[in-house]
Amino acid sequence: MPTVKLDPIDRKILAELQADGRMTNVELAKRVGISAPPCLRRVRTLEEAGLIRGYHADIDARELGFEVQVFALVGLSSQAEVDLSAFEQKCREWPLVRECHMLNGEIDFILKCVAPDLSTFQSFLTEHLTAAPNVASVKTSLVIRNAKDEPAVPFEVLEDRLAKSA
Amino acid sequence: MPTVKLDPIDRKILAELQADGRMTNVELAKRVGISAPPCLRRVRTLEEAGLIRGYHADIDARELGFEVQVFALVGLSSQAEVDLSAFEQKCREWPLVRECHMLNGEIDFILKCVAPDLSTFQSFLTEHLTAAPNVASVKTSLVIRNAKDEPAVPFEVLEDRLAKSA
DNA sequence: CGTGAAACCGTCGCCCC
DNA sequence: GGGGCGACGGTTTCACG
């Protein structure tokens, strides 16, 4: 059950823009089966509702010289909220950390990192990440290859689910 | 050292489109300091070179009803290439799996998954993921919250690095 | 890379249901 | 409430210098 009410046209708009964020509004309108003005109004509404957080070019980091991708599993020694927040703030400040997710279970955080080469990453790891206050354990794994990397929302699953509940 | 040669204008274009993939070409041209036609030619070239893989709206999956995000750490019993590929193919077919990265070390794969609720995820976990051929171990962790979720390329790091090597 | 021109698009006001 | 029509200004995208 979505937090906001969306009709099938809104969902189609979201699916199309997730697949191609640079599509023109008239093309989008054609695909969802309405004319351009109401289509644009819907897009603006979805943006303002926060359902569309933004649009980003998907850039090949490796081609740009970021040959190293690493996942880091981080455990903290204190899970008090103030300490969790302090660690999250550090992650926001470290440019090599691209994602930081707080998890349940024995791992506290998972970080997705990039670096131009291994030695840059290792410097970051020893001088910043493991050296940060409250960091108890860090396990890192290099990404060998990416088998799948899709945007967050599987609209097929959403539509299936709505069809069944109807 | 990037695989392709890019001048400072190309890098600025990439940085701007990563930050706002729906920016108009004239706005982009203004920001990078050239006129619109050559700017568009550069964008097309970057797209054709595969440096820009696409453009995607960044959609709030939780608001759409995908309240559960999970990281799964997967170990396989055989690391023969044919078995690795078979597992990757399975991941591509499972819509709840949004990312699949092959890692070095004791974990073989890390998966980022989404689901509408816990029971949907648990059904997937028991009926599909752990039941798949060659899967030896699966450890899952629920995402409690996202502290950072940025696109892949930290252009600040790239520019720093180029400045120093100059 | 820039200029100019033509086609196209984003956007608004208004009318309709 | 939402959708469509028409028009204006801005944008995309040529050909050419």
Side-chain angles (χ1 to χ4, degrees), chain B residues 5-19:
Chain B
K5 285 292 165 216
L6 298 174
D7 66 14
I9 295 180
D10 289 320
R11 293 197 300 274
K12 192 99 198 300
I13 287 174
L14 291 171
E16 294 288 346
L17 286 178
Q18 177 173 263

Side-chain angles (χ1 to χ4, degrees), chain B residues 78-117:
Chain B
S78 158
Q79 279 82 30
E81 176 55 34
V82 61
D83 297 313
L84 296 172
S85 299
F87 178 73
E88 291 176 335
Q89 186 53 38
K90 280 287 189 189
C91 288
R92 284 190 210 99
E93 290 166 10
W94 288 322
L96 296 185
V97 176
R98 306 314 292 165
E99 298 182 23
C100 170
H101 309 278
M102 180 177 155
L103 304 180
N104 77 345
E106 58 196 83
I107 304 159
D108 292 313
F109 287 94
I110 189 164
L111 312 185
K112 189 193 276 186
C113 307
V114 299
D117 51 50

Side-chain angles (χ1 to χ4, degrees), chain A residues 34-35 37-38 41-42:
Chain A
I34 60 180
S35 64
R41 271 175 274 174
R42 281 167 180 266

Side-chain angles (χ1 to χ4, degrees), chain A residues 102-123:
Chain A
M102 181 177 155
L103 304 180
N104 78 345
E106 58 195 84
I107 304 158
D108 291 314
F109 287 93
I110 189 163
L111 312 185
K112 189 194 273 185
C113 307
V114 298
D117 51 51
L118 256 185
S119 72
T120 303
F121 179 73
Q122 301 217 353
S123 302

Side-chain angles (χ1 to χ4, degrees), chain B residues 94-158:
Chain B
W94 288 322
L96 296 185
V97 176
R98 306 314 292 165
E99 298 182 23
C100 170
H101 309 278
M102 180 177 155
L103 304 180
N104 77 345
E106 58 196 83
I107 304 159
D108 292 313
F109 287 94
I110 189 164
L111 312 185
K112 189 193 276 186
C113 307
V114 299
D117 51 50
L118 257 184
S119 73
T120 304
F121 179 74
Q122 302 217 353
S123 301
F124 164 71
L125 181 61
T126 55
E127 292 164 27
H128 294 96
L129 183 53
T130 60
N134 197 30
V135 170
S137 71
V138 181
K139 280 183 152 188
T140 60
S141 288
L142 273 167
V143 174
I144 308 284
R145 67 189 188 207
N146 290 64
K148 183 173 188 175
D149 201 345
E150 297 286 323
V153 184
F155 281 96
E156 27 177 345
V157 173
L158 183 61

Side-chain angles (χ1 to χ4, degrees), chain B residues 35 37-38 41-42:
Chain B
S35 64
R41 285 193 289 260
R42 280 168 181 264

